[in-house]
C-alpha cells in the first residue's frame, strides 16, 4: 500500500483517497464545512487547509489526492493562521445570532469558531442582507447565515435526484435558492437540514421547540416502511420532538425519508388513551374490565371457525407472535396481514425477501423492476438504486410504468406476456440479462396482486435458478415489501390463503384488528375488536376499542425487507390507560382459558427469536439457505401490469394524524399556498 507522512507519522492509505481522508486514518481531525464523504468534492470553504512540503501555500486537503511520499503537516502556525483567516471571512457576513438559532448546540460553525475565531472583527462594512427563501413546509430558511458550502445543492442533485435547488450570483452575492421559490419535490429533501453546517436551513416543524441538550436521545429504527432505516428519537418529557437519521451504511447510509423524519407529530394526535365500547350505536368510554368481559363473552359464544384476525402495518414481531399464540388458544386459524390479496410462497425464506440486500444494489450491473415503484414503496431502496445508476452506470429496466424515479430507466413492457417472453428466451432483453454478471430483479406487490402473480413469481424464480443467478454468493431474486410488519408475519406464518375469500363474503362473526387500518371491510353484522394507538379507520368501525402504545412507546423487534432483525427501543410513554398488546392478550386469555401466555417481555422476546426463520443475530442478515426446488406450476394469464398508486404521505394511521404530512400531501397535490411568512 502507498504511504503518506502526516505530522511525522507514516500512514498507509488506499489509492484514490484524498489528503483529508488520509489524515482521518491517522486520527487527525480536519475542520471542514463543504466536504461530506457521501457527496462530490467542491472545495468551497477552504477550512480544511493543511501544509504540504514544497508547496508555496497551504492546500485544500479535501480536494487534493493523496500520493506516495507526501509530507503533510496539520498543526503548524501557518495552518492555524490560514484557518483563522478563512474563519474571519466566513464570519464577515454571518449574523452571529447563536442564541436564537435552532442550530445552536449542533452547529459546526459555532464549534469551529470557538477555536479559530477572533473576539473582534476587522470588518467595518455592513453585513450582506439576503432574503429568506420559500422551500416548502419542512425547511425553514435564514439565508444570511449561509456560508456557500453548497452541500444542500450537491445533495439535491446527486442523492435526491431533483434539480430545483441551485445557486444564483457569484462571490459574495451568491444565493442558494429553488429559483422559482417552490417546495422541493423530493421525499428526501429534509436531509439538507442535517447537512447544513450552519443555521441557514433548519427544521420548520421543529422551530423553537427545544434545545438539543434538553432532549433525551434514543437509538431506534423507523417503521414507516419495510426498509428499517436507523434513526434517533429525541424526546422532551414524553413527547417526541424530532427524529433524526443514524448512520448505517448497509441500510439507509445517513439519510432518511421526509415521512420517517416528520410523521412523528402524528403521535400526539387522535390518540386512543382509554377503552371504548359501543352502546346504542355510539362509542363510549369504559374501563378495562368491562371491555375485556365484553370481548370474552362474545368469543365464548362464537364458533372458532367464525373468528378472524388481521395485523396492521406497524406491528412488532413480538406482538405478532403473542397474537398468534392467543389465537391458537381460541382455535382461530383465519388470520392475515395483507391489506390486499397477493401471491406469496413461504416454503423458502428467499421467496419473500430482498435477497440481494440494500447494500448489494451497488454491486448490480443490471436492474429489472417488475410492477413496483421503489420511490414511494421503499424510498431508501430507490436512493440506493440512484446511487448505483450514477456511480456504476447501471442499466435499469421496468415492466410497468412507475413514473418518475429520479433516474433514467427504460420501460420494456407493460403486460405479463413480456415476462413470459423473457423466461422463454424469446425476448431480446433476455439475451442482455443473461450476459450481465450480477443482475437484480425487484418484484413489487402490484405484480403479485394480479391473477398472474403466481406465474410472475414462480417463473422468474425458475429462470434465475436455471441460469445460476440464485446461488450462495449472489441472489438476484428480490421482493419489495411495503410494510414494517410484513416480513415478521411471513416468518411467523401469520397468514391464510383463504382469508380474503371469507372476509369478502362476510363469513366471519368476529374480526379482531391489531393496529389494522388498511383492510377494507364491508361491515354487516360482524363484531369488530380494534386494538391500536390511533383513532383511525379501524377504530371507526369497531365495537370495542383497546388502546395500545405506538412504536416509540414500547420495545419491539422488527424484521426489515432484507430479513434483518432490528430492535426498536422505547423512547416515550403512551397516554392514558394504554396497555402493551401482549399484556392485553394475557388478560383475555386468562379470562377465557385461565392461562397466562407470557410471564414478562423477555420471555416473549426470547420465544419470538426462536421462531424466526434462519435467524442469526440482531442487525445481521439471515442465513443464506437456497432451496432449489422449482416444482410449483402456475397458469399464465396475459394482463396489464398496472402499478398501484400509493398515498405516500397518508400511508398509515400515524402519518394520517400528522399535520406536517398533511401539508406535504397538499404540496404534492399542488393545493398548498405559499407561506408568506416563511
Amino acid at each position: 500500500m502507498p504511504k503518506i507522512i502526516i505530522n511525522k507519522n507514516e500512514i498507509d492509505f488506499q489509492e484514490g483517497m484524498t489528503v483529508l481522508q488520509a489524515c482521518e486514518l491517522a486520527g487527525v481531525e480536519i475542520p471542514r464545512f463543504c466536504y461530506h464523504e457521501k457527496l462530490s468534492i467542491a472545495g468551497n470553504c477552504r477550512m480544511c487547509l493543511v501544509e504540504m512540503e514544497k508547496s508555496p501555500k497551504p492546500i485544500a486537503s479535501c480536494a487534493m489526492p493523496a500520493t506516495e511520499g507526501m509530507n503533510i503537516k496539520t498543526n503548524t502556525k501557518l495552518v492555524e493562521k490560514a484557518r483563522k483567516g478563512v474563519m474571519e471571512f466566513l464570519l464577515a457576513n454571518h449574523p452571529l445570532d447563536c442564541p436564537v438559532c435552532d442550530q445552536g448546540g449542533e452547529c459546526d460553525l459555532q464549534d469551529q469558531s470557538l477555536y479559530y475565531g477572533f473576539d473582534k472583527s476587522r470588518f467595518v462594512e455592513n453585513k450582506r442582507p439576503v432574503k429568506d427563501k420559500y422551500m416548502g413546509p419542512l425547511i425553514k430558511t435564514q439565508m444570511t447565515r449561509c456560508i456557500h458550502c453548497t452541500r444542500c445543492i450537491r445533495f439535491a442533485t446527486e442523492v435526491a435526484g431533483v434539480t430545483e435547488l441551485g445557486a444564483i450570483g457569484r462571490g459574495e452575492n451568491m444565493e442558494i435558492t429553488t429559483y422559482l421559490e417552490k417546495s422541493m419535490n423530493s421525499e428526501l429533501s429534509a436531509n439538507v437540514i442535517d447537512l447544513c453546517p450552519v443555521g441557514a436551513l433548519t427544521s420548520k416543524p421543529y422551530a423553537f421547540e427545544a434545545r438539543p441538550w434538553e432532549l433525551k436521545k434514543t437509538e431506534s429504527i423507523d417503521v414507516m416502511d419495510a426498509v428499517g432505516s436507523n434513526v434517533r428519537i429525541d424526546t422532551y418529557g414524553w413527547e417526541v420532538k424530532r427524529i433524526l437519521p443514524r448512520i448505517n451504511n448497509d441500510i439507509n447510509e445517513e439519510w432518511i425519508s421526509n415521512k420517517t423524519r416528520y410523521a412523528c407529530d402524528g403521535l400526539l394526535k387522535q390518540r386512543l388513551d382509554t377503552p371504548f365500547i359501543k352502546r346504542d350505536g355510539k362509542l363510549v368510554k369504559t374501563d378495562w374490565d368491562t371491555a375485556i368481559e365484553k370481548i370474552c363473552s362474545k368469543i365464548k359464544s362464537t364458533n372458532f371457525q367464525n373468528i378472524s384476525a388481521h395485523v396492521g402495518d406497524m406491528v412488532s414481531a413480538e406482538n405478532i407472535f403473542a397474537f398468534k399464540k392467543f389465537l391458537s388458544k381460541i382455535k382461530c386459524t383465519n388470520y392475515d396481514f395483507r391489506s390486499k390479496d397477493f401471491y406469496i410462497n413461504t416454503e423458502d425464506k428467499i421467496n419473500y425477501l430482498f435477497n440481494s440486500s440494500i447494500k448489494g444494489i451497488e454491486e448490480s450491473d443490471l436492474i429489472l423492476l417488475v410492477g413496483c415503484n421503489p420511490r414511494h414503496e421503499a424510498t431508501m431502496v430507490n436512493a440506493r438504486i440512484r446511487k448505483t445508476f450514477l456511480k456504476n452506470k447501471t442499466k435499469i429496466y421496468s415492466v410497468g410504468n412507475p413514473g418518475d424515479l429520479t433516474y433514467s430507466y427504460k420501460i420494456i413492457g407493460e403486460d405479463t406476456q413480456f415476462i413470459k417472453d423473457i423466461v422463454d428466451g424469446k425476448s431480446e432483453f433476455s439475451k442482455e440479462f443473461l450476459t450481465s454478471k450480477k443482475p437484480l430483479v425487484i418484484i413489487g406487490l402490484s405484480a403479485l396482486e394480479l391473477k398472474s402473480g403466481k406465474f410472475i413469481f414462480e417463473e422468474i424464480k425458475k429462470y434465475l435458478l436455471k441460469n445460476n443467478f440464485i446461488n450462495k454468493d449472489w441472489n438476484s431474486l428480490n421482493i419489495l415489501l411495503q410494510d414494517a410488519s410484513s416480513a415478521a408475519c411471513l416468518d411467523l406464518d401469520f397468514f391464510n390463503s383463504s382469508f380474503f375469500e371469507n372476509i369478502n363474503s362476510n363469513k366471519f362473526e368476529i374480526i379482531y384488528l391489531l393496529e389494522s387500518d388498511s383492510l377494507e371491510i364491508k361491515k354487516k353484522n360482524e363484531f369488530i375488536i380494534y386494538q391500536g394507538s390511533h383513532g383511525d379507520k379501524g377504530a371507526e368501525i369497531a365495537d370495542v376499542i383497546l388502546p395500545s402504545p405506538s412504536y416509540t412507546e414500547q420495545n419491539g423487534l422488527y424484521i426489515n425487507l432484507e430479513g434483518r432483525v432490528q430492535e426498536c427501543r422505547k423512547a416515550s410513554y403512551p397516554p392514558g390507560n394504554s396497555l402493551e398488546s401482549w399484556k392485553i392478550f394475557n388478560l383475555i386469555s386468562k379470562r377465557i382459558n385461565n392461562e397466562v401466555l407470557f410471564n414478562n417481555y423477555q420471555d416473549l422476546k426470547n420465544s419470538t427469536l426462536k421462531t424466526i426463520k434462519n435467524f442469526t443475530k440482531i442487525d445481521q442478515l439471515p442465513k443464506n439457505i437456497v432451496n432449489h426446488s422449482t416444482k410449483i406450476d402456475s397458469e399464465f394469464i396475459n394482463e396489464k401490469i398496472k402499478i398501484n398508486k400509493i398515498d405516500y404521505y397518508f400511508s398509515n394511521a400515524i402519518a394520517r394524524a400528522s399535520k406536517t404530512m398533511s401539508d406535504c400531501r397538499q404540496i404534492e397535490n399542488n393545493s398548498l399556498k405559499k407561506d408568506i411568512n416563511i
Side-chain angles (χ1 to χ4, degrees), residues 381-480:
V381 170
N382 195 66
R384 194 73 71 137
I385 295 174
R386 173 172 171 79
K387 182 180 179 180
T388 192
F389 168 77
L390 294 175
K391 184 180 177 181
N392 304 324
K393 308 298 180 186
T394 301
K395 295 180 179 179
I396 303 169
Y397 301 92
S398 178
V399 181
N401 185 3
D404 181 14
L405 296 178
T406 72
Y407 45 81
S408 299
Y409 65 93
K410 183 179 180 181
I411 299 174
I412 53 177
E414 293 194 55
D415 52 42
T416 52
Q417 180 63 51
F418 191 80
I419 301 293
K420 190 174 189 302
D421 291 343
I422 293 175
V423 298
D424 291 342
K426 297 179 181 179
S427 170
E428 288 295 321
F429 173 77
S430 58
K431 297 177 183 177
E432 183 177 0
F433 190 91
L434 293 174
T435 56
S436 61
K437 295 180 180 179
K438 288 187 174 182
L440 268 179
V441 180
I442 303 177
I443 305 173
L445 300 189
S446 295
L448 298 177
E449 286 172 11
L450 298 172
K451 294 178 181 177
S452 55
K454 183 177 181 180
F455 172 85
I456 292 171
F457 174 81
E458 296 295 346
E459 293 305 312
I460 288 177
K461 184 182 178 184
K462 288 178 184 179
Y463 180 74
L464 295 174
L465 282 168
K466 179 183 175 182
N467 295 287
N468 198 35
F469 290 128
I470 299 178
N471 52 63
K472 63 178 183 176
D473 299 318
W474 181 256
N475 193 330
S476 296
L477 181 66
N478 298 282
I479 305 299
L480 195 64

Side-chain angles (χ1 to χ4, degrees), residues 274-277 279 284-298 300 527 544-547 577 579 583-584 586-592:
T274 191
F276 285 82
I277 195 167
R279 289 175 181 162
V284 295
K285 292 182 179 181
T286 188
D287 56 73
W288 275 104
D289 192 64
T290 304
I292 296 296
E293 180 57 39
K294 179 73 173 179
I295 292 170
C296 293
S297 176
K298 189 67 180 177
K300 287 178 180 178
F527 182 83
V544 178
I545 296 175
L546 306 175
N577 296 322
L579 284 178
K583 292 181 179 178
I584 297 173
N586 263 354
L587 290 174
I588 302 174
S589 178
K590 189 176 181 180
R591 187 74 61 95
I592 294 176

Side-chain angles (χ1 to χ4, degrees), residues 36 38-40 151-162 186 188 191 195 252-256 379-380 382-387 390 405-407:
H36 192 278
K38 299 295 182 183
L39 304 175
S40 61
R151 279 186 180 182
C152 54
I153 297 174
R154 284 175 282 148
F155 172 84
T157 306
E158 297 166 13
V159 180
V162 294
S186 170
L188 297 170
N191 286 287
L195 286 171
N252 57 302
E253 296 189 285
E254 51 189 279
W255 325 120
I256 53 173
T379 304
M380 300 318 305
N382 195 66
R384 194 73 71 137
I385 295 174
R386 173 172 171 79
K387 182 180 179 180
L390 294 175
L405 296 178
T406 72
Y407 45 81

Side-chain angles (χ1 to χ4, degrees), residues 98 101-108 110-111 211-213 217 242:
C98 299
C101 179
D102 263 333
Q103 195 85 349
E106 300 175 313
C107 179
D108 293 345
Q110 191 180 51
D111 294 341
R211 288 297 196 179
W213 54 85
K217 302 168 178 62
R242 63 179 184 178

